Amino acid sequence: MSLVHQGVLRDAFAEVAHFRSELYASMTARGDALFELCDALLCTDGPVRTLVDLALAPEHRRGHGALYGGLNQGRIDVARLRRALAGVPLPRAADGRLVLAVDVSPWLRPDAGTCADRAFCHTYGRGEGKHQMVPGWPYSVVAALETGRTSWTAVLDAVRLEPGADVAAVTTEQIREVVERLVAAGQWKPGEPDVLVVLDAGYDSPRIAYLLAGLPVEILGRLRSDRVMRRPAASRAEFFTANPKGGRLPKHGGEFVFGAPATWGAEQAVTSTDTRLYGKATAQAWDRLHPRLTRRAAWLDHDGPLPIIEGTVIRLVVEKLPSGGVNKPVWLWWSGTGGAIDDIDRCWQAFLRRFDVEHTFRLLKQTLGWTRPRLRDSEAADRWTWLVLAAHAQLRLARPLVRDLRRPWERPAEPNRLTPARVRRGFRNLWAKTGTPAGAPKPTRPGPGRPLGSKNRQLATRYDVGRVLATGEPYTRPAHHKKGTKPRRTGETTRPMPNPGRETVP
């Protein structure tokens, strides 16, 4: 082993030890139980099915009562844990910039009538593979992306969305706080490339770019294929040349209709790249296009004239899809203008890397058991979420330290190319070297519990699924939608609508 490699291993071990100490320090109440629960999550063999199974792990030296007590009555200093996540080494793109991906992943709880703060979560693939709204806890997650073929991401933050929350406003504030923490931690310095934030469809990318003005960030988001953009308005000289009789200067130029190629005009940049997975990828870019804003929805209470938010529209077409599905073009909007061919290539390649966060969600749910516990309190769900994210961060830091304990039917992996599940398989050997700052459990006796034969007469409070209108008022069902009402027209039949207050899928 070379001296350089030994130095890398020492630095990686120091990062793991430092993060574990910061994690323990951020647990301000029942920290020993919470920390050992996180260690049991890291060292247990196989996927996590239930929390009680974690209480049987050797790393968890306490009973299952302490496990649930830590989740229900413990406290975590989330601000300190967020700073610790921002201070660890983060992956970067080829040009040295940070690339962040933002997405929402739901913790579905359709049958949990006693759980508060549930909202309708958009899901796809359940049942007949249709889009459905299922009650649960949606979490907005921010992660730093790596380059190349990988299933690793560096999760930096997670926020549970309250019922009726403005997703764009919450996402904007979340990105702002993450970038400020990265700047404070020295991850970004003046003169370095701006942080690129990648969003999928469903986010109002121009609005988020407008709200984040002043920060060293660039926004790249996916747009629907039926959008209409506007070109820059003509200058004063050009307008009066075309209109000698005068008139009011226009605020918007001609239309750019995504579905009408006749309105596109000449591209500012065209690039073509051969990829292994998608074949030939062609990207076309049109500069200085903006949406026409109106005073409704999010812009209803905007002070002053509505802004002009210019950006670059990119149309990406690939030769083939790995799944063999319908090959449709992808429309992207980048907040930068005047980009060269290298900028266009960097944008669409970063958008394709955004799908790595889906591998992270699958690992958190299927292997680490993020959504397995049937917790009643939403605050306990937040504590468990941060424990899962802290465990994932330790796995990422331990990549160069663990051995590949592969199964006989698995192929050998290159050094530092292990998947998160295979790193977790060998983390127990590393845990024996790092030790634990948690104190030894104290001897105790189990409580008397409920008397034998008695019934629980303290029924838990039941909550309706949160549904809030744009005005901030709670949603109420119209009278003509209620079951048993008369039809509005002769000959119509009344079909009962799903009740938002019941645990049914609308």
Side-chain angles (χ1 to χ4, degrees):
M1 184 182 298
S2 64
L3 296 178
V4 176
H5 185 59
Q6 292 179 0
V8 172
L9 295 182
R10 283 195 300 267
D11 294 342
F13 187 84
E15 288 290 344
V16 174
H18 177 71
F19 181 81
R20 287 174 60 84
S21 63
E22 284 294 314
L23 174 61
Y24 182 75
S26 64
M27 299 174 178
T28 56
R30 298 179 182 260
D32 294 340
L34 291 174
F35 192 83
E36 289 191 356
L37 176 59
C38 185
D39 282 349
L41 180 63
L42 284 167
C43 300
T44 300
D45 296 332
V48 175
R49 302 300 182 187
T50 61
L51 287 179
V52 178
D53 292 338
L54 296 179
L56 301 178
E59 292 76 17
H60 193 276
R61 300 173 292 177
R62 290 160 172 82
H64 66 277
L67 184 150
Y68 283 101
L71 289 178
N72 294 326
Q73 284 86 34
R75 286 196 303 271
I76 299 178
D77 188 356
V78 178
R80 180 167 185 172
L81 185 53
R82 284 169 170 162
R83 291 193 297 269
L85 290 174
V88 299
L90 298 178
R92 297 178 180 269
D95 58 351
R97 76 173 67 234
L98 289 170
V99 181
L100 305 181
V102 184
D103 203 354
V104 176
S105 183
W107 183 342
L108 301 181
R109 301 301 306 275
D111 301 325
T114 58
C115 293
D117 303 326
R118 289 185 304 160
F120 285 110
C121 306
H122 178 267
T123 60
Y124 180 80
R126 291 171 59 91
E128 299 178 359
K130 299 179 180 179
H131 295 271
Q132 297 179 353
M133 301 298 289
V134 182
W137 292 315
Y139 281 85
S140 176
V141 179
V142 179
L145 303 179
E146 294 190 4
T147 58
R149 299 177 57 195
T150 178
S151 58
W152 287 96
T153 61
V155 182
L156 299 175
D157 192 25
V159 174
R160 177 169 49 84
L161 301 178
E162 299 289 342
D166 187 350
V167 178
V170 174
T171 303
T172 301
E173 187 63 24
Q174 185 181 17
I175 296 174
R176 183 185 302 276
E177 293 178 355
V178 168
V179 173
E180 290 176 352
R181 287 195 297 269
L182 293 176
V183 173
Q187 301 285 3
W188 183 90
K189 299 178 182 179
E192 296 182 352
D194 293 342
V195 179
L196 181 62
V197 181
V198 186
L199 309 173
D200 200 6
Y203 290 93
D204 192 351
S205 302
R207 181 190 172 198
I208 294 178
Y210 174 78
L211 295 177
L212 291 177
L215 287 180
V217 297
E218 298 176 358
I219 303 298
L220 176 66
R222 183 176 181 177
L223 300 178
R224 292 170 54 96
S225 59
D226 57 356
R227 290 290 299 268
V228 177
M229 290 286 178
R230 291 301 187 102
R231 302 182 185 277
S235 63
R236 185 181 184 88
E238 295 174 349
F239 174 76
F240 284 107
T241 300
N243 301 273
K245 296 182 178 180
R248 187 175 64 176
L249 294 176
K251 189 177 181 180
H252 308 280
E255 291 185 343
F256 184 94
V257 185
F258 287 5
T263 62
W264 297 351
E267 310 94 334
Q268 272 67 40
V270 180
T271 176
S272 180
T273 308
D274 292 330
T275 62
R276 186 193 63 85
L277 191 61
Y278 301 97
K280 185 177 181 181
T282 304
Q284 303 168 273
W286 293 267
D287 195 16
R288 297 189 61 191
L289 296 179
H290 65 273
R292 181 177 181 178
L293 305 179
T294 57
R295 289 195 177 275
R296 60 185 180 89
W299 302 98
L300 184 62
D301 299 329
H302 180 76
D303 297 333
L306 295 177
I308 301 295
I309 310 174
E310 291 187 341
T312 301
V313 172
I314 302 174
R315 181 176 182 265
L316 176 63
V317 180
V318 297
E319 185 178 2
K320 62 180 180 179
L321 294 179
S323 59
V326 180
N327 191 1
K328 297 181 179 180
V330 176
W331 292 90
L332 306 175
W333 185 87
W334 176 47
S335 60
T337 56
I341 294 180
D342 294 340
D343 297 323
I344 306 304
D345 283 337
R346 172 171 53 83
C347 287
W348 70 261
Q349 291 175 6
F351 177 78
L352 295 182
R353 291 264 61 86
R354 191 210 68 83
F355 293 97
D356 293 342
V357 75
E358 303 295 340
H359 298 286
T360 300
F361 291 151
R362 187 179 298 110
L363 172 77
L364 299 182
K365 294 182 178 181
Q366 297 182 1
T367 304
L368 299 183
W370 173 31
T371 58
R372 285 289 181 175
R374 296 297 180 256
L375 301 175
R376 178 181 297 176
D377 190 5
S378 58
E379 295 182 356
D382 294 341
R383 297 186 193 99
W384 172 248
T385 300
W386 280 107
L387 288 181
V388 173
L389 298 185
H392 181 266
Q394 295 182 63
L395 292 178
R396 190 178 64 85
L397 295 176
R399 290 169 64 183
L401 299 173
V402 299
R403 294 181 56 188
D404 183 16
L405 303 179
R406 66 183 182 91
R407 302 290 189 256
W409 56 84
E410 294 177 343
R411 295 181 179 179
E414 299 179 1
N416 204 22
R417 294 291 297 177
L418 298 179
T419 62
R422 292 172 75 164
V423 171
R424 178 171 175 259
R425 194 181 300 165
F427 190 86
R428 175 171 287 175
N429 297 331
L430 178 64
W431 176 86
K433 299 178 181 179
T434 58
T436 174
K442 299 179 181 179
T444 182
R445 295 181 180 179
R450 186 184 306 158
L452 184 63
S454 63
K455 296 182 179 179
N456 182 17
R457 302 185 183 276
Q458 298 179 355
L459 300 181
T461 306
R462 302 186 70 86
Y463 300 92
D464 293 339
V465 182
R467 191 169 182 179
V468 183
L469 302 177
T471 58
E473 301 176 355
Y475 172 82
T476 57
R477 185 184 307 282
H480 60 273
H481 285 176
K482 296 181 179 179
K483 184 178 181 180
T485 57
K486 296 182 180 180
R488 290 177 293 174
R489 296 188 182 92
T490 304
E492 290 183 347
T493 58
T494 303
R495 179 184 178 185
M497 299 294 291
N499 188 353
R502 301 174 61 185
E503 283 67 45
T504 57
V505 179

